[in-house]
Amino acid sequence: QVEEFEVHKKLMGLSNTKSTLPMDIPARLRKEVSVELCKPLTNIINSCLAEGVYPALWKREWVSPIPKVKEPEVLKDVRKVASTSDYNKVLESVIKDFITEDISHKLDPQQFGGKKGHGTEHMIVALMDRILKLLDNNNTRSAVLKAGVDWSSAFERGDPTKTTTRFIAMGLRPSIVKLMSSYMTSRHMTVKFNGQESSLIKLCGGFPAGSVIGQDCYLVASNDAADHVSTDDRFRYIDDLEILELVM
């Protein structure tokens, strides 16, 4: 269970967005009524934690296709970025705290994404440090090869059943496992593009890219994806992987 002051803190910590989703209220008004809003919101969140059921309305995604190339021609040329309700973000933030407490120490130590206090800069420094150590410890007739891997449609291909099994195996508390299973299933999305909006589409799986715990779902599902590579020679950032090899 969570207290009202915790929910209020998370509510006030939400970023100010330029656009407001249909089920939300403008950021400025949300802050003005935050004290009144946090009481019913706390009741809803505690009910979700007790029953293990995620609110259906909060599982809806408003998706914007962002081009990966200058002139996209096919579906793979765009990236799916999902927006969800502000209330959903508060609940996700609460769940994130439980996930971090229970399983953060079991994530791949070479995963630099999705961890507080880690970023791309840390990964680059660690990568360069490993390359220089390999070269310094060997004779001058040596080189380090680097291969890059990017998992295709990583978030869209998430399997809720397998991911739930991974959460259980990694030791996430049972009450949150049940809630996460509910979070990953029966999701819907609406696509917004050029001022137009599609009809509501039911999703068969996947995790919402850009959300707080959608990222955690992917990290857990793919946690052992690079275990065949030495810990010292692999560097991961979400769905990107860099592999090093010393050659003489």
Side-chain angles (χ1 to χ4, degrees):
Q1 300 286 284
V2 293
E3 302 293 337
E4 285 185 29
F5 76 89
E6 297 175 277
V7 174
H8 183 262
K9 184 178 179 180
K10 293 185 181 299
L11 200 59
M12 294 298 290
L14 293 176
S15 58
N16 294 329
T17 54
K18 294 181 180 179
S19 58
T20 304
L21 296 179
M23 70 173 66
D24 291 335
I25 58 178
R28 184 175 177 181
L29 178 59
R30 184 187 69 225
K31 288 190 174 182
E32 287 184 6
V33 299
S34 60
V35 174
E36 293 80 5
L37 189 60
C38 72
K39 184 172 183 176
L41 193 54
T42 302
N43 289 335
I44 293 172
I45 290 173
N46 282 330
S47 295
C48 293
L49 293 172
E51 298 172 15
V53 178
Y54 211 92
L57 283 175
W58 294 0
K59 291 195 282 186
R60 180 174 176 178
E61 304 171 26
W62 280 263
V63 173
S64 299
I66 307 300
K68 295 181 181 178
V69 296
K70 188 174 182 180
E71 295 182 2
E73 296 181 355
V74 293
L75 196 58
K76 67 178 182 179
D77 290 339
V78 296
R79 178 180 288 105
K80 167 191 165 186
V81 176
S83 298
T84 57
S85 168
D86 289 337
Y87 312 121
N88 167 69
K89 292 173 185 174
V90 174
L91 177 53
E92 283 197 15
S93 181
V94 169
I95 297 173
K96 170 76 174 180
D97 292 341
F98 291 122
I99 292 176
T100 300
E101 182 181 339
D102 289 351
I103 65 173
S104 61
H105 61 287
K106 294 185 179 179
L107 292 176
D108 185 349
Q110 293 299 86
Q111 172 63 262
F112 290 84
K115 293 181 178 180
K116 189 175 182 180
H118 290 72
T120 50
E121 300 89 346
H122 297 87
M123 176 178 166
I124 292 170
V125 170
L127 183 68
M128 291 303 300
D129 180 63
R130 177 60 176 166
I131 291 172
L132 293 174
K133 282 182 179 178
L134 288 171
L135 294 175
D136 289 343
N137 294 335
N138 294 276
N139 61 40
T140 55
R141 296 180 60 83
S142 63
V144 176
L145 302 182
K146 181 175 76 70
V149 179
D150 182 4
W151 275 277
S152 177
S153 303
F155 282 78
E156 287 83 349
R157 294 178 177 177
D159 185 321
T161 303
K162 289 184 177 180
T163 306
T164 300
T165 303
R166 293 290 180 89
F167 272 120
I168 295 171
M170 292 178 72
L172 183 63
R173 65 193 71 183
S175 57
I176 303 299
V177 169
K178 186 177 180 182
L179 190 57
M180 287 303 300
S181 179
S182 175
Y183 170 83
M184 291 184 284
T185 53
S186 301
R187 301 190 66 87
H188 293 79
M189 80 172 185
T190 300
V191 180
K192 298 173 68 177
F193 185 70
N194 283 348
Q196 301 298 315
E197 189 172 301
S198 74
S199 58
L200 198 62
I201 303 165
K202 186 175 181 179
L203 301 173
C204 60
F207 317 126
S211 67
V212 177
I213 56 176
Q215 184 172 262
D216 288 315
C217 289
Y218 175 76
L219 294 183
V220 168
S222 65
N223 192 49
D224 61 351
D227 279 0
H228 59 288
V229 182
S230 167
T231 304
D232 292 334
D233 295 328
R234 68 174 187 253
F235 300 84
R236 304 175 61 188
Y237 195 85
I238 311 298
D239 59 344
D240 291 296
L241 168 67
E242 304 296 331
I243 300 171
L244 301 180
E245 183 181 8
L246 176 70
V247 294
M248 306 307 292

